[in-house]
Amino acid sequence: MESHNIEKLLDGYFEGATTLKEEQELRAYFTSDHVAPHLEEYTSMFTAFSVASKETYDAPIVLPQKQRSTSIYRFAASAAAAVIVGLVLWTQSTQVDASISTNYENEELAILKTKQALGMMSQMINQSTTQLEVVQEFDKASSTLFK
């Protein structure tokens, strides 16, 4: 019965669903002399884990200090990039304003051109909605077929 419990713990161990206490039970079982013959293949793995857990590293760990000069260069580079982006956006906005500012000398002509453009847009929208009616009819027909 104990090997059946160990097999369940092994399944949970390989799925990553065991607790630390259950893993200690597995280590204790596989490092003992009472391992079931069909589970002996796991003995070397858990023995290696037990040996590795006892290893320590005693040398002091020295972390490198951050250099202050690199942060100044990063700040300067990001500020320069922001200035360049700002200049590009400012020149683009002035060019767009210049191209938009074409005024009609005759206000009536401007109103007629606007009405003409809106009329063309209205016709295009009406044509596209009539095409949608065909799609709706197809949708109705297909829904009755596939019920």
Side-chain angles (χ1 to χ4, degrees):
M1 184 64 183
E2 184 177 330
S3 66
H4 183 67
N5 186 27
I6 294 297
E7 288 174 3
K8 282 184 181 180
L9 286 176
L10 269 175
D11 290 338
Y13 180 78
F14 289 125
E15 291 176 7
T18 56
T19 63
L20 291 176
K21 185 177 179 181
E22 292 170 338
E23 290 177 16
Q24 287 174 353
E25 287 179 34
L26 284 172
R27 265 191 228 111
Y29 176 78
F30 284 107
T31 54
S32 70
D33 295 332
H34 306 293
V35 179
H38 68 282
L39 297 175
E40 285 182 358
E41 61 186 299
Y42 300 109
T43 304
S44 60
M45 181 176 71
F46 282 98
T47 304
F49 290 159
S50 296
V51 171
S53 68
K54 294 175 184 172
E55 292 180 1
T56 59
Y57 183 74
D58 296 333
I61 298 173
V62 178
L63 297 176
Q65 297 292 327
K66 291 185 179 180
Q67 295 179 354
R68 186 148 174 86
S69 61
T70 57
S71 63
I72 292 172
Y73 291 129
R74 287 183 184 170
F75 176 74
S78 61
V83 168
I84 290 171
V85 168
L87 286 174
V88 167
L89 291 175
W90 180 70
T91 56
Q92 291 295 325
S93 68
T94 57
Q95 289 176 358
V96 169
D97 290 342
S99 65
I100 292 177
S101 66
T102 55
N103 293 332
Y104 286 101
E105 294 175 4
N106 188 356
E107 291 181 9
E108 291 178 12
L109 180 62
I111 292 172
L112 288 175
K113 291 284 186 179
T114 305
K115 284 183 180 180
Q116 184 181 15
L118 290 174
M120 288 175 48
M121 285 178 51
S122 174
Q123 286 177 351
M124 293 171 74
I125 290 172
N126 287 338
Q127 288 175 355
S128 63
T129 55
T130 57
Q131 292 172 357
L132 285 176
E133 291 173 2
V134 174
V135 173
Q136 288 174 350
E137 289 297 321
F138 176 75
D139 194 26
K140 287 178 187 176
S142 64
S143 67
T144 58
L145 288 175
F146 295 119
K147 280 188 177 181

